[in-house]
Every structure is written in structure tokens, then in C-alpha cells.
């Protein structure tokens, strides 16, 4: 048994399994698109487009069945979208080869299988012994063991569920009242989309926004307080500066202004201290101080 032949056999099985996963995914996507397009009457879009409007209502013979132009066009669009969606999904998905899958499923071959396959053309006793041991370990491994049963079950279940829904719609001809013209209104009713721009306002030419008018009455009517049974308006008048003033009118004081007389600019000499003494004590005090001066 050759190692390269065994790996090629496993690799072919892995490609077949990967193709099955892709087909199930493609079929599920197609059926889901069919359900969505049927419920929203997307075939009416051809009557809206002037280019396709002359062909609406025309029937074509397809596999022994008379198919309307609108139905055929919608099916082709669904097929194209399914191919695009499936291709994008699997282009971004990691693809593991047979060697990696075998090493994940069978830990005894981890690193050994990869090393033996990379050195399969090397003439070496050690390498030949490694290749021989790997080939023996590969013998009981079947190609079906590389099939991802969980992914296969999910693919088949999704395809059957979506296929059943599309079959029911096709047989009963079930439709809704939604048309392509109503789609913008339907999208606006979706909460996540309709509330996404509620805080945004259009800027007007004068530099303001369309919501400025609503902000004028943000705090309601001006505050009014009652002082001694009278209502006092606290509204700040324009140009009044900070604070607030009462709107009550005060009494006007018309007292005339009296101008003071002129002041003599020349300095006046101060009187001696004894000249300010009371009459009767002046001579006694003066004599006392004169006696102190003689001593």
C-alpha cells in the first residue's frame, strides 16, 4: 500500500463531502429566498421597471410547463443570489485537507502522518520505518470516518425545513399584501432601523437645526413666584445681565439735590490747648504748667 495513494483516496472523499455541504447550503439559501420573494410579491417588480414591463404576463414553455415571465425571472434572480451568498460563505471558510482531518480524528497519527507524507520521496531507513508504521495505522481508517455527521445533519434538516415551507407556498399560492412599493414603509417600521436616526436633525441654511423651534418651550412658561399675595414675574428681560429683577415699579424719589458751599483752600492755625479749657479753670491750670516749666 502506497502512502501517497492512500492520502489521495482520503482527499477525494473529503472533496465529495465538502461538495455535499455546499449543495445543502445552496439549496437552503434558495428555498429561503423563494419564501421571502413569494411572501413579498417580488415578481411585481418587473411591472415597475419600464424595461421589463412589456414582457409581463407572457408565458414560456419550460419543461412542459407554462411559466410566466415574472416567475422565471424571479427564479433566475434567486439562483444567482444563492450562488453569490454560498460562494462568499465558503470562500471565507477554512478548508482543511485530508491529512489535518485524519490527525484531528486519530491522535496517534498526529505529526507522524504529516512528516511521513512530506518526506515520502526521501531514501532513509528512519523515514521508511516511519512511513511503514503510518501505512499500518491508516489501514483501519475508512473514508466515511472523515465525514462531519453533525454538519451533514444540520444541512439536510435546514434544506428539508426550507423546502417544505417553499412547497407549501407554491402549492397553496399563499401571498401577503406587501408589494415592492411598500418595502420602504415596512423597513421604516422595524424598531432597530426606524429609531436609529431619531436624534439627528437637518441643518438649515441659517446655521440652526430643524429642532430649534421645539427647544424654545423646553422649560414651559416663565417661572412666577408669589410675594405677599402678589405674583412676580421672574423672566429675565433681554440685556438685563445676570440674575433677575422684579417687574414691580418702585416709587420715584424727586428730592432736589443741595450743593455744598465752597471750602477755603487756606489752612487754619489750630488754637492752643488751654484756649479750649472751661472758663474758670484756665488760669489755675496755666499757672500749674508754668510752675513746672520753671523747675
Amino acid at each position: 500500500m502506497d502512502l501517497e495513494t492512500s492520502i489521495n483516496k482520503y482527499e477525494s472523499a473529503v472533496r465529495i463531502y465538502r461538495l455535499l455541504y455546499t449543495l445543502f447550503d445552496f439549496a437552503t439559501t434558495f428555498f429561503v429566498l423563494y419564501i421571502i420573494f413569494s411572501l413579498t410579491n417580488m415578481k411585481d417588480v418587473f411591472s415597475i421597471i419600464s424595461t421589463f414591463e412589456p414582457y409581463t404576463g407572457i408565458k414560456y414553455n419550460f419543461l412542459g410547463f407554462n411559466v410566466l415571465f415574472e416567475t422565471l425571472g424571479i427564479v433566475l434572480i434567486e439562483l444567482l443570489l444563492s450562488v453569490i451568498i454560498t460562494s462568499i460563505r465558503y470562500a471565507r471558510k477554512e478548508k482543511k485537507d485530508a491529512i489535518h482531518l485524519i490527525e484531528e480524528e486519530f491522535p496517534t497519527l498526529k505529526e507522524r502522518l504529516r512528516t511521513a507524507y512530506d518526506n515520502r520521496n526521501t531514501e532513509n531507513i528512519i523515514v521508511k520505518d516511519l512511513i511503514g508504521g503510518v501505512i499500518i495505522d491508516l489501514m483501519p481508517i475508512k473514508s466515511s470516518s472523515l465525514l462531519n455527521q453533525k454538519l451533514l445533519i444540520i444541512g439536510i434538516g435546514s434544506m428539508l425545513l426550507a423546502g417544505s415551507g417553499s412547497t407549501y407556498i407554491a402549492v397553496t399560492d399563499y401571498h401577503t399584501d406587501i408589494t415592492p412599493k411598500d418595502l420602504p414603509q415596512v423597513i421604516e417600521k422595524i424598531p432597530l432601523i426606524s429609531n436609529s436616526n431619531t436624534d439627528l436633525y437637518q441643518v438649515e441654511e441659517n446655521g440652526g437645526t430643524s429642532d430649534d423651534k421645539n427647544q424654545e418651550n423646553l422649560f414651559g412658561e416663565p417661572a412666577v413666584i408669589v410675594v405677599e399675595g402678589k405674583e412676580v414675574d421672574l423672566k429675565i428681560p433681554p440685556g438685563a445681565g445676570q440674575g433677575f429683577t422684579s417687574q414691580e415699579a418702585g416709587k420715584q424719589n424727586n428730592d432736589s439735590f443741595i450743593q455744598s458751599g465752597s471750602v477755603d483752600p487756606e489752612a487754619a492755625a489750630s488754637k492752643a490747648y488751654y484756649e479750649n479749657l472751661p472758663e474758670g479753670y484756665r488760669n489755675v491750670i496755666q499757672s500749674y504748667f508754668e510752675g513746672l516749666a520753671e523747675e
Side-chain angles (χ1 to χ4, degrees):
M1 183 178 181
D2 185 44
L3 178 61
E4 187 172 0
T5 303
S6 300
I7 296 301
N8 290 337
K9 181 187 68 174
Y10 292 124
E11 196 67 43
S12 299
V14 170
R15 285 195 294 267
I16 294 173
Y17 299 151
R18 189 176 293 122
L19 179 62
L20 287 176
Y21 307 147
T22 306
L23 289 176
F24 292 146
D25 196 2
F26 170 80
T28 303
T29 305
F30 174 79
F31 290 139
V32 171
L33 289 176
Y34 178 84
I35 294 173
I36 295 174
F37 283 18
S38 298
L39 292 178
T40 55
N41 298 303
M42 285 300 295
K43 63 180 181 179
D44 295 340
V45 74
F46 293 103
S47 60
I48 299 175
I49 302 174
S50 58
T51 305
F52 301 103
E53 186 178 3
Y55 301 97
T56 56
I58 299 177
K59 294 183 178 181
Y60 296 92
N61 189 356
F62 184 76
L63 298 178
F65 297 95
N66 292 326
V67 183
L68 288 173
F69 169 80
E70 301 93 306
T71 303
L72 185 60
I74 286 296
V75 170
L76 292 177
I77 293 175
E78 291 168 355
L79 289 173
L80 180 61
L81 290 177
S82 299
V83 171
I84 294 174
I85 294 173
T86 306
S87 300
I88 292 174
R89 287 191 57 191
Y90 279 88
R92 301 174 59 182
K93 191 175 182 179
E94 182 183 3
K95 300 180 179 63
K96 297 181 180 179
D97 55 14
I99 294 176
H100 285 82
L101 292 175
I102 292 173
E103 289 182 350
E104 288 180 358
E105 293 291 331
F106 304 94
T108 56
L109 290 170
K110 191 172 184 179
E111 301 294 338
R112 293 176 59 233
L113 177 59
R114 190 180 312 171
T115 303
Y117 186 79
D118 292 340
N119 298 279
R120 60 188 182 278
N121 297 324
T122 303
E123 295 294 333
N124 191 314
I125 296 176
I126 299 177
V127 174
K128 287 184 178 180
D129 183 66
L130 176 62
I131 293 174
V134 169
I135 290 175
I136 293 174
D137 292 338
L138 285 175
M139 285 180 156
I141 300 176
K142 298 180 180 180
S143 300
S144 58
S145 60
L146 302 180
L147 178 65
N148 191 336
Q149 296 182 358
K150 181 179 179 180
L151 188 61
L152 182 65
I153 293 174
I154 293 175
I156 295 175
S158 300
M159 183 187 67
L160 292 177
L161 183 63
S164 300
S166 60
T167 302
Y168 173 81
I169 292 175
V171 172
T172 60
D173 196 22
Y174 179 80
H175 296 285
T176 62
D177 297 333
I178 301 175
T179 61
K181 296 180 180 179
D182 301 330
L183 287 180
Q185 300 176 359
V186 174
I187 294 174
E188 289 179 356
K189 293 180 180 179
I190 299 176
L192 294 178
I193 298 177
S194 60
N195 295 332
S196 59
N197 296 324
T198 54
D199 296 333
L200 300 179
Y201 304 99
Q202 183 178 1
V203 178
E204 298 179 352
E205 296 179 357
N206 57 0
T209 61
S210 58
D211 191 55
D212 288 343
K213 297 179 180 179
N214 295 331
Q215 308 233 355
E216 294 179 357
N217 297 325
L218 183 63
F219 300 99
E221 296 295 331
V224 176
I225 62 175
V226 179
V227 178
E228 297 181 357
K230 297 182 180 180
E231 292 186 355
V232 181
D233 187 4
L234 300 182
K235 185 177 181 181
I236 301 175
Q242 297 181 351
F244 61 88
T245 58
S246 174
Q247 299 297 320
E248 292 184 356
K251 298 181 180 180
Q252 185 175 0
N253 189 358
N254 295 324
D255 295 342
S256 60
F257 175 73
I258 302 175
Q259 186 175 0
S260 61
S262 59
V263 180
D264 187 4
E266 296 181 359
S270 63
K271 298 179 181 180
Y273 73 94
Y274 56 80
E275 295 180 357
N276 295 326
L277 294 175
E279 196 70 31
Y281 294 94
R282 186 181 303 171
N283 295 330
V284 177
I285 296 173
Q286 184 177 359
S287 299
Y288 172 75
F289 283 103
E290 289 177 353
L292 291 177
E294 293 177 357
E295 293 178 1

